[in-house]
Each structure stands twice: as structure tokens, then as C-alpha cells.
Amino acid sequence: MKKFLISLSLVMGLSLFLQLPLAELSTTTHAASYGWKQVNGNWYYYTSSGVKVTGWKSIGGKWYYFNSYGVMKTGWVKEGSKWYFLDSNGAMKTGWLQSGSKWYYLNTDGAMATGWKKVSNTWYYLESSGAMRTGWLQSGSNWYYLKPNGAMQTSWAKVSGKWYFFDTNGTMKTGWVQSGSDWYYMNTNGTMKTGWVSSGGKWYYLDEVDGFMWTGWIDDNGKLYYLYDNGVMAASTTINGITLGADGAAIEETGFFNTDLKSTIGQIIKYYNDSIKKDFKVEYEDTNDIAYFFRNTEPLAYAEAGVVMGDVFFPEFLVDLAYALGIPVNEEEMEALLIEASDHGQAHNELVSVYNDGITLEFYWDIENY
């Protein structure tokens, strides 16, 4: 009788179990399997159907990757030919990433970038391994320099004590380079040249410190040279009364109007030509040590040791010449002397002779009587 009651109870219990709604059984199973689940230290994600997710899955606005067993991956992952990086929580990274001692860049789709990459208007270079490059880089036939932060260098850069120039595309320049209003010359290895340089059969002079191309008169190791406005060294010619040899150096001359004095007078003439736009010129009579000055081809003044004669309508020019010749007089003193001479009736179309500390200063009021 007891065995019959036990059997009856089992049968009734089983009957009740079989009568539970299928939906209720399914709900109980899903509640245990849906979403994240950690098993033996690994994380899995189950769909609403209770299936493990594999491959890429967007969860809560972030992307995760699960291998073929459904295990969530972290760190570097290669999918096809592309590399991705997943943080310690499994979320896919984008943007700059430091992994170990190296930097990488991950595109907006998470794929690791290689080659040239523009980020926030700055160019970087990522090696085939994805690591950010710094220092020198040869790409094709061009050289580039990447700063310690990886940014591509443009314009001037001093590297290992040497100056280089990079254009707006980052390419290291060689040969002639214009920067601002100045010209520079870069060697074949990109370093900035200083001193003399031969280019296209012409000689040029570059500043010993800053490298810019010089124009005008220069003194190099005690020798005088002249460089035209385009920087080309003058040779086998005469400029401002100074004779230049085939090597470009001024030929040393004896007498009062030596090379140094002629150079000084040449600078005075250039100043007045540039400032008041007059055609001032000088010619030297070396035999008698006399310098003749002209304005617009008409006689303006003449000078010799200790004496300046000229048109008083340009007293400031005569004062500068007087200083060049070593005569201690300024414009006010010169005018005072002229007024004094005029007061004595000596200043109208006649040669005026006045004295200043024993040095004769002679002027013409009327250039026609010169």
C-alpha cells in the first residue's frame, strides 16, 4: 500500500511539471543566460536567444570582440588584415594609444593606421607595425624629419647642431631656398651652407652665423668684395671707383684714396642714391689723388687730402665726405662758416675759403663756376 502511494505521488508530481506553460520555462532559462557572464575567468555575452556572441558586437555604445569560442578579447586583435586594440574591459580603442613604450593611432573604425596620417592638421608617420615614427625618415626620394612628439617638421629645424629647411609638405630642401625676404643655400645633405658657395658658375657669400645671402660690400679676411643685388660676386670690374680683380677681391691701391676709403665713400654715395633718389657718382684720378663727384652727370664736388670743395646746396653730403676724409666738421659748423664767409662778401659766385682748425674747407655757391 505504501509503495502504491509513493508511486502515485511521483506520477502526480511529474504530471504537474509537464503541465507548466512552455513560456514560463523558457523565461527562467533566459534569465540565467542573457547578457554578460563570466566563466572560469573569461567573459561571454549571450543574446536574448541565449546564444554566445562571436566576432564584433556593439554593446552599450562600445564595440567588443569575441573569438570563435565566445571569449571576450583584450589587447591587440587581428581581424582579417587589420589590427585593433581592446582595452582591459574589452572595449575597442580609437585615436592615440600608447602600448608599451610606443605610440599608435587607431582610426575611427578602430583599425590601426600605418603610413602617413593627418591628425588635427598635423602629419605623422606610422610604421608598418603601426608604431609612430620620430627622427629622420626617407619616403621615396624625399627626406622628412619627425619631431620627438611625432609631428612632421616644416620650415627651419636645428638637428644635432645643424640647420635644415623643410617645405610646407615636410620635404627637406637642398640648393637655394627663400625664407622671408632672404635667400639661403642648403647642401646636398640638407645642412645650411655658410661662407662662400659656388652655384651655377657664380660665387655667392652666405652669412657665417645665420646663413643668409649677402649683397653689397663685404670684408672677408681683410679683403674687400662686392656682391650684386642678386648675390653674385662682382669680378674684373670697377665699382664706386674700386677695382676688383678676377677673384673678386679689391686690388690694393696706394695713395690717399686707398681701398678702404673708396669703400667708405662708395657706401656714402649708395646711401644718398637710395635716400633721395639722385644719381650720385664718383671718379678717381689716382695719379693726383683726387676724387670727383657728380650728380646727374653734372659736377657736384671734388675732394683731396684735407680738402672738400662742392655745391653747398648739399651740405650734409659734403659733411659726410669731410668725415670720410678725416675732417672734423659737422653740418651746423659748415653752415656757420658759410654764413661767416657770406657776411664778408665772399660767397656770391666766388670761391669761398674758410678755415677750421687749420684745415681748409672750400665751397662753391654756383656750380657753374666750379
Side-chain angles (χ1 to χ4, degrees), residues 199-221:
S199 175
K202 307 292 184 180
W203 283 95
Y204 303 81
Y205 187 79
L206 308 164
D207 189 79
E208 292 287 351
V209 177
D210 297 321
F212 60 84
M213 183 188 76
W214 272 88
T215 61
W217 292 103
I218 64 166
D219 186 323
D220 182 45
N221 293 324

mmCIF file of all heavy atoms in Angstrom, residues 199-221:
data_model
loop_
_atom_site.group_PDB
_atom_site.id
_atom_site.type_symbol
_atom_site.label_atom_id
_atom_site.label_comp_id
_atom_site.label_asym_id
_atom_site.label_seq_id
_atom_site.Cartn_x
_atom_site.Cartn_y
_atom_site.Cartn_z
ATOM 1 N N SER A 199 77.664 78.395 -57.201
ATOM 2 C CA SER A 199 76.417 77.835 -57.720
ATOM 3 C C SER A 199 76.204 78.339 -59.134
ATOM 4 O O SER A 199 76.192 79.550 -59.377
ATOM 5 C CB SER A 199 75.241 78.240 -56.818
ATOM 6 O OG SER A 199 74.009 77.807 -57.362
ATOM 7 N N GLY A 200 76.047 77.406 -60.067
ATOM 8 C CA GLY A 200 75.820 77.789 -61.451
ATOM 9 C C GLY A 200 76.959 78.592 -62.048
ATOM 10 O O GLY A 200 76.725 79.462 -62.894
ATOM 11 N N GLY A 201 78.187 78.333 -61.601
ATOM 12 C CA GLY A 201 79.341 79.049 -62.126
ATOM 13 C C GLY A 201 79.535 80.430 -61.533
ATOM 14 O O GLY A 201 80.434 81.165 -61.950
ATOM 15 N N LYS A 202 78.728 80.808 -60.541
ATOM 16 C CA LYS A 202 78.826 82.105 -59.878
ATOM 17 C C LYS A 202 79.147 81.897 -58.400
ATOM 18 O O LYS A 202 78.807 80.873 -57.808
ATOM 19 C CB LYS A 202 77.518 82.897 -60.015
ATOM 20 C CG LYS A 202 77.015 83.060 -61.446
ATOM 21 C CD LYS A 202 77.916 83.960 -62.266
ATOM 22 C CE LYS A 202 77.330 84.190 -63.656
ATOM 23 N NZ LYS A 202 78.191 85.059 -64.495
ATOM 24 N N TRP A 203 79.809 82.923 -57.831
ATOM 25 C CA TRP A 203 80.130 82.860 -56.406
ATOM 26 C C TRP A 203 79.193 83.756 -55.606
ATOM 27 O O TRP A 203 78.828 84.854 -56.045
ATOM 28 C CB TRP A 203 81.579 83.283 -56.157
ATOM 29 C CG TRP A 203 82.571 82.226 -56.500
ATOM 30 C CD1 TRP A 203 83.255 82.080 -57.662
ATOM 31 C CD2 TRP A 203 82.967 81.132 -55.658
ATOM 32 N NE1 TRP A 203 84.059 80.968 -57.618
ATOM 33 C CE2 TRP A 203 83.910 80.364 -56.398
ATOM 34 C CE3 TRP A 203 82.623 80.718 -54.385
ATOM 35 C CZ2 TRP A 203 84.507 79.219 -55.886
ATOM 36 C CZ3 TRP A 203 83.219 79.578 -53.860
ATOM 37 C CH2 TRP A 203 84.148 78.843 -54.602
ATOM 38 N N TYR A 204 78.805 83.246 -54.435
ATOM 39 C CA TYR A 204 77.927 83.959 -53.515
ATOM 40 C C TYR A 204 78.530 83.884 -52.117
ATOM 41 O O TYR A 204 79.348 82.998 -51.823
ATOM 42 C CB TYR A 204 76.530 83.323 -53.490
ATOM 43 C CG TYR A 204 75.857 83.258 -54.839
ATOM 44 C CD1 TYR A 204 76.170 82.250 -55.754
ATOM 45 C CD2 TYR A 204 74.891 84.196 -55.194
ATOM 46 C CE1 TYR A 204 75.544 82.192 -56.999
ATOM 47 C CE2 TYR A 204 74.259 84.135 -56.434
ATOM 48 C CZ TYR A 204 74.593 83.130 -57.330
ATOM 49 O OH TYR A 204 73.986 83.071 -58.548
ATOM 50 N N TYR A 205 78.105 84.819 -51.274
ATOM 51 C CA TYR A 205 78.595 84.788 -49.887
ATOM 52 C C TYR A 205 77.417 84.712 -48.926
ATOM 53 O O TYR A 205 76.480 85.521 -49.010
ATOM 54 C CB TYR A 205 79.449 86.020 -49.560
ATOM 55 C CG TYR A 205 80.106 85.920 -48.206
ATOM 56 C CD1 TYR A 205 81.256 85.157 -48.028
ATOM 57 C CD2 TYR A 205 79.551 86.558 -47.107
ATOM 58 C CE1 TYR A 205 81.852 85.042 -46.792
ATOM 59 C CE2 TYR A 205 80.141 86.456 -45.862
ATOM 60 C CZ TYR A 205 81.292 85.691 -45.708
ATOM 61 O OH TYR A 205 81.876 85.560 -44.469
ATOM 62 N N LEU A 206 77.476 83.728 -48.017
ATOM 63 C CA LEU A 206 76.412 83.489 -47.049
ATOM 64 C C LEU A 206 76.909 83.798 -45.645
ATOM 65 O O LEU A 206 78.035 83.437 -45.285
ATOM 66 C CB LEU A 206 75.956 82.023 -47.139
ATOM 67 C CG LEU A 206 75.604 81.564 -48.563
ATOM 68 C CD1 LEU A 206 75.537 80.055 -48.635
ATOM 69 C CD2 LEU A 206 74.297 82.194 -49.007
ATOM 70 N N ASP A 207 76.102 84.474 -44.880
ATOM 71 C CA ASP A 207 76.484 84.894 -43.535
ATOM 72 C C ASP A 207 77.047 83.728 -42.735
ATOM 73 O O ASP A 207 76.496 82.619 -42.736
ATOM 74 C CB ASP A 207 75.277 85.492 -42.804
ATOM 75 C CG ASP A 207 75.670 86.144 -41.508
ATOM 76 O OD1 ASP A 207 76.170 87.271 -41.544
ATOM 77 O OD2 ASP A 207 75.488 85.500 -40.448
ATOM 78 N N GLU A 208 78.157 83.983 -42.032
ATOM 79 C CA GLU A 208 78.847 82.915 -41.310
ATOM 80 C C GLU A 208 78.039 82.351 -40.147
ATOM 81 O O GLU A 208 78.253 81.219 -39.722
ATOM 82 C CB GLU A 208 80.196 83.419 -40.778
ATOM 83 C CG GLU A 208 81.215 83.728 -41.855
ATOM 84 C CD GLU A 208 81.785 82.473 -42.496
ATOM 85 O OE1 GLU A 208 81.505 81.373 -41.978
ATOM 86 O OE2 GLU A 208 82.514 82.598 -43.507
ATOM 87 N N VAL A 209 77.095 83.139 -39.642
ATOM 88 C CA VAL A 209 76.296 82.683 -38.488
ATOM 89 C C VAL A 209 74.884 82.288 -38.921
ATOM 90 O O VAL A 209 74.431 81.162 -38.677
ATOM 91 C CB VAL A 209 76.223 83.771 -37.397
ATOM 92 C CG1 VAL A 209 75.325 83.314 -36.249
ATOM 93 C CG2 VAL A 209 77.625 84.104 -36.901
ATOM 94 N N ASP A 210 74.178 83.197 -39.590
ATOM 95 C CA ASP A 210 72.769 82.980 -39.907
ATOM 96 C C ASP A 210 72.523 82.436 -41.310
ATOM 97 O O ASP A 210 71.395 82.072 -41.640
ATOM 98 C CB ASP A 210 71.983 84.277 -39.715
ATOM 99 C CG ASP A 210 72.017 84.741 -38.265
ATOM 100 O OD1 ASP A 210 71.945 83.874 -37.377
ATOM 101 O OD2 ASP A 210 72.118 85.954 -38.032
ATOM 102 N N GLY A 211 73.553 82.394 -42.150
ATOM 103 C CA GLY A 211 73.433 81.730 -43.443
ATOM 104 C C GLY A 211 72.752 82.508 -44.552
ATOM 105 O O GLY A 211 72.693 82.020 -45.682
ATOM 106 N N PHE A 212 72.237 83.716 -44.291
ATOM 107 C CA PHE A 212 71.531 84.447 -45.346
ATOM 108 C C PHE A 212 72.529 84.980 -46.379
ATOM 109 O O PHE A 212 73.696 85.235 -46.077
ATOM 110 C CB PHE A 212 70.684 85.581 -44.783
ATOM 111 C CG PHE A 212 71.473 86.617 -44.021
ATOM 112 C CD1 PHE A 212 72.107 87.659 -44.693
ATOM 113 C CD2 PHE A 212 71.585 86.548 -42.637
ATOM 114 C CE1 PHE A 212 72.830 88.616 -43.997
ATOM 115 C CE2 PHE A 212 72.321 87.497 -41.940
ATOM 116 C CZ PHE A 212 72.949 88.523 -42.615
ATOM 117 N N MET A 213 72.072 85.161 -47.605
ATOM 118 C CA MET A 213 72.908 85.623 -48.705
ATOM 119 C C MET A 213 73.176 87.119 -48.575
ATOM 120 O O MET A 213 72.262 87.910 -48.384
ATOM 121 C CB MET A 213 72.224 85.327 -50.039
ATOM 122 C CG MET A 213 73.023 85.705 -51.257
ATOM 123 S SD MET A 213 72.034 85.520 -52.786
ATOM 124 C CE MET A 213 70.972 86.982 -52.672
ATOM 125 N N TRP A 214 74.443 87.497 -48.684
ATOM 126 C CA TRP A 214 74.833 88.897 -48.582
ATOM 127 C C TRP A 214 74.742 89.587 -49.942
ATOM 128 O O TRP A 214 74.900 88.968 -50.991
ATOM 129 C CB TRP A 214 76.261 89.016 -48.069
ATOM 130 C CG TRP A 214 76.368 89.043 -46.574
ATOM 131 C CD1 TRP A 214 76.466 87.972 -45.741
ATOM 132 C CD2 TRP A 214 76.371 90.208 -45.750
ATOM 133 N NE1 TRP A 214 76.535 88.387 -44.429
ATOM 134 C CE2 TRP A 214 76.478 89.760 -44.411
ATOM 135 C CE3 TRP A 214 76.296 91.574 -45.995
ATOM 136 C CZ2 TRP A 214 76.512 90.639 -43.342
ATOM 137 C CZ3 TRP A 214 76.327 92.456 -44.922
ATOM 138 C CH2 TRP A 214 76.429 91.975 -43.618
ATOM 139 N N THR A 215 74.517 90.904 -49.911
ATOM 140 C CA THR A 215 74.640 91.764 -51.080
ATOM 141 C C THR A 215 75.439 92.992 -50.671
ATOM 142 O O THR A 215 75.583 93.284 -49.481
ATOM 143 C CB THR A 215 73.261 92.199 -51.626
ATOM 144 O OG1 THR A 215 72.558 92.938 -50.604
ATOM 145 C CG2 THR A 215 72.432 90.988 -52.044
ATOM 146 N N GLY A 216 75.966 93.712 -51.665
ATOM 147 C CA GLY A 216 76.738 94.909 -51.356
ATOM 148 C C GLY A 216 78.189 94.581 -51.018
ATOM 149 O O GLY A 216 78.703 93.504 -51.329
ATOM 150 N N TRP A 217 78.859 95.518 -50.341
ATOM 151 C CA TRP A 217 80.268 95.343 -49.981
ATOM 152 C C TRP A 217 80.412 94.455 -48.754
ATOM 153 O O TRP A 217 79.647 94.571 -47.807
ATOM 154 C CB TRP A 217 80.918 96.691 -49.683
ATOM 155 C CG TRP A 217 81.062 97.577 -50.889
ATOM 156 C CD1 TRP A 217 80.295 98.646 -51.222
ATOM 157 C CD2 TRP A 217 82.037 97.435 -51.924
ATOM 158 N NE1 TRP A 217 80.716 99.198 -52.401
ATOM 159 C CE2 TRP A 217 81.795 98.474 -52.875
ATOM 160 C CE3 TRP A 217 83.075 96.548 -52.156
ATOM 161 C CZ2 TRP A 217 82.562 98.640 -54.010
ATOM 162 C CZ3 TRP A 217 83.849 96.712 -53.300
ATOM 163 C CH2 TRP A 217 83.588 97.741 -54.217
ATOM 164 N N ILE A 218 81.402 93.574 -48.797
ATOM 165 C CA ILE A 218 81.730 92.751 -47.628
ATOM 166 C C ILE A 218 83.243 92.704 -47.468
ATOM 167 O O ILE A 218 83.993 92.844 -48.439
ATOM 168 C CB ILE A 218 81.191 91.308 -47.745
ATOM 169 C CG1 ILE A 218 81.858 90.573 -48.907
ATOM 170 C CG2 ILE A 218 79.690 91.282 -47.859
ATOM 171 C CD1 ILE A 218 81.635 89.073 -48.863
ATOM 172 N N ASP A 219 83.658 92.535 -46.234
ATOM 173 C CA ASP A 219 85.080 92.361 -45.927
ATOM 174 C C ASP A 219 85.262 90.946 -45.415
ATOM 175 O O ASP A 219 84.735 90.575 -44.370
ATOM 176 C CB ASP A 219 85.508 93.368 -44.859
ATOM 177 C CG ASP A 219 87.012 93.337 -44.602
ATOM 178 O OD1 ASP A 219 87.585 92.233 -44.639
ATOM 179 O OD2 ASP A 219 87.609 94.398 -44.362
ATOM 180 N N ASP A 220 86.001 90.145 -46.180
ATOM 181 C CA ASP A 220 86.238 88.757 -45.785
ATOM 182 C C ASP A 220 87.733 88.528 -45.641
ATOM 183 O O ASP A 220 88.488 88.597 -46.614
ATOM 184 C CB ASP A 220 85.656 87.800 -46.836
ATOM 185 C CG ASP A 220 85.842 86.338 -46.441
ATOM 186 O OD1 ASP A 220 85.590 86.006 -45.270
ATOM 187 O OD2 ASP A 220 86.249 85.541 -47.301
ATOM 188 N N ASN A 221 88.148 88.292 -44.400
ATOM 189 C CA ASN A 221 89.575 88.061 -44.101
ATOM 190 C C ASN A 221 90.451 89.190 -44.632
ATOM 191 O O ASN A 221 91.537 88.954 -45.190
ATOM 192 C CB ASN A 221 90.037 86.719 -44.677
ATOM 193 C CG ASN A 221 89.389 85.538 -43.981
ATOM 194 O OD1 ASN A 221 89.154 85.566 -42.775
ATOM 195 N ND2 ASN A 221 89.066 84.505 -44.743
#
